[in-house]
Amino acid sequence: MSTRQLNLWVILTGTVFGAFIAVLMKLGNPPNMGVCAICFLRDTAGALKLHTIDKLSYIRPEIIGFILGSTIIALITKEFKTTGGSSAILRFIIGAFVAIGALVFLGCPIRMLGRIAGGDWTALEGLLGLVVGIFVGIQFLKAGFNLGRMQPLPNASGWVMPIIAIGLLVLLFTKPGYIVFGPTKHAPLIISLIAGLIISGIAQRSRFCTIGGIRDLILIGDTYLFQGLVALLVVAFVFNLILGQFHPGSSPIAHSYFLWNFGGMFLAGLGLVMLGGCPFRQMVMSGYGNTDAGITVLGMLFGAGFAHNFNLVASTQGVP
C-alpha cells in the first residue's frame, strides 16, 4: 500500500475504535470503559475462575472478536504466518506485570484515551505515566534490550490462539455451569462480538497500536501510528458529546491517586515497549499466527486474575 493508503487505514482504525468506545458504553459496557483490552481479560479471567469476583466475571465477546477478526483478514490476504519462539517465559511474566500495572490505573492505554474523551481528567495522570514509561523503555531498547528474533514455526502453533478464541465463543453461547457469568455490565453479546471483529479486521491492515504510536513519535518522529490515536480520541470525544456521555471532571469508577495512576501506567508503558505492542495489538497479532503475542496475552490473562486475587487493584469503588 502507498503511504497515503496506509495513513487512511490507520485513521479509519482510530475513527472506528473511537466510535465503538462510546457506543458500547452507551449499550451497556461499564461507565468509563467502552473498550479495554486488559479489563476484558480481567472479566474473562473471572469467568474462568482465575479470580473470585462475581461482578467481574464474564467472557468478553470483544476479545474473541479481536483475535478472530485478525485471523479472518489474515487468511483472506494470505498473511497468516506462524512465527515465535523468542523468550516465551519472559514475555509471559512481563505480560502479567503489564496487566497488574494497567489494573492499578484501571485500564489499558485504549481505556485511558476513552476516559480522557469522556472528561475523566484523572486519566491524564495515567497518560503522563505511560509516556514516561515508554520513554524509559526506549532507553532499554537503545541499550540493546530485546526479547530475541522470531522464527518460523509449524503451522499448528499459530492456530492455538484462534482455537482458544473459538472455544471461548462456544462457552459464551452454551454457558456451562463450570463457567462463571456474574452480574457484569456488558453490551449485547452479538454487537460486542461484531465490534471486536470489525475493529480487529481494520487494525490488522493498519497495524494500529497505542504504544507503537507514542514510541515511534518519541524515537524517530514518525507520526503514522500516532494519527490513529488522535483520530480515536477525537471521535470518541465527539460521540460522547452526541450520546450525552461527556462529563468533564467526572471520573466514574476510577480513583484519584496520582501515584497509582502514574505508576500503574508507567509500569504498563515500560513493559509494553519491551513486548513490542499494546494489549490490543498483542491480541491482533496472536490472531494471525504470532505465538509470542499469544503467550503475552496469556500472561496478561494470568496477571489480571493475580491482581484481583491479591488485591493489587487501586480503586475506591470496587472497579468494574
Side-chain angles (χ1 to χ4, degrees):
M1 288 190 287
S2 68
T3 301
R4 176 178 172 80
Q5 288 174 316
L6 286 171
N7 288 338
L8 290 175
W9 270 110
V10 77
I11 292 172
L12 175 62
T13 306
T15 299
V16 172
F17 228 136
F20 273 124
I21 284 173
V23 170
L24 288 175
M25 191 162 60
K26 186 69 174 181
L27 293 177
N29 277 6
N32 237 358
M33 195 202 88
V35 176
C36 176
I38 291 295
C39 301
F40 291 162
L41 285 172
R42 172 204 64 196
D43 293 349
T44 303
L48 300 175
K49 299 182 180 179
L50 297 181
H51 68 67
T52 57
I53 302 174
D54 282 353
K55 71 174 183 177
L56 301 178
S57 299
Y58 175 64
I59 295 176
R60 287 284 179 179
E62 295 92 341
I63 288 180
I64 298 169
F66 291 162
I67 297 173
L68 294 183
S70 172
T71 303
I72 292 168
I73 296 300
L75 290 174
I76 292 172
T77 59
K78 299 182 179 179
E79 293 181 335
F80 189 96
K81 184 178 181 182
T82 304
T83 57
S86 61
S87 307
I89 293 178
L90 189 54
R91 286 182 183 277
F92 184 92
I93 292 172
I94 295 175
F97 275 102
V98 163
I100 293 169
L103 288 173
V104 165
F105 164 72
L106 289 184
C108 71
I110 289 171
R111 182 176 183 179
M112 177 197 71
L113 293 175
R115 285 171 56 179
I116 293 172
D120 180 355
W121 308 141
T122 63
L124 293 172
E125 301 166 355
L127 175 60
L128 178 61
L130 183 73
V131 172
V132 175
I134 291 172
F135 177 80
V136 173
I138 289 172
Q139 309 315 306
F140 275 83
L141 298 182
K142 287 181 176 180
F145 176 87
N146 72 82
L147 293 171
R149 184 183 298 275
M150 292 189 299
Q151 303 293 331
L153 295 175
N155 282 336
S157 299
W159 282 98
V160 170
M161 290 303 290
I163 290 172
I164 288 176
I166 292 171
L168 290 174
L169 186 62
V170 171
L171 293 174
L172 184 57
F173 276 101
T174 59
K175 291 183 169 56
Y178 51 83
I179 299 296
V180 180
F181 289 91
T184 308
K185 295 180 179 179
H186 60 85
L189 189 160
I190 296 299
I191 293 176
S192 296
L193 178 61
I194 292 173
L197 290 168
I198 292 173
I199 293 170
S200 176
I202 300 172
Q204 199 275 341
R205 303 298 293 154
S206 68
R207 304 305 192 250
F208 177 92
C209 177
T210 54
I211 296 300
I214 299 172
R215 178 201 61 206
D216 292 353
L217 184 65
I218 295 174
L219 185 60
I220 56 176
D222 189 324
T223 61
Y224 166 64
L225 290 173
F226 191 75
Q227 295 175 95
L229 307 191
V230 174
L232 183 156
L233 186 62
V234 170
V235 173
F237 166 70
V238 171
F239 268 73
N240 278 330
L241 278 178
I242 294 171
L243 297 173
Q245 297 174 160
F246 180 73
H247 305 291
S250 173
S251 52
I253 301 168
H255 60 83
S256 58
Y257 298 112
F258 174 84
L259 177 63
W260 298 114
N261 282 327
F262 178 92
M265 289 309 279
F266 172 87
L267 178 60
L270 174 61
L272 290 169
V273 168
M274 294 176 174
L275 292 168
C278 68
F280 167 74
R281 178 68 182 151
Q282 298 293 336
M283 293 180 191
V284 172
M285 291 192 295
S286 74
Y288 60 78
N290 188 320
T291 62
D292 287 347
I295 196 66
T296 298
V297 172
L298 294 178
M300 292 176 183
L301 180 70
F302 169 82
F306 184 93
H308 279 280
N309 282 329
F310 289 88
N311 199 27
L312 299 177
V313 177
S315 172
T316 59
Q317 302 182 44
V319 208

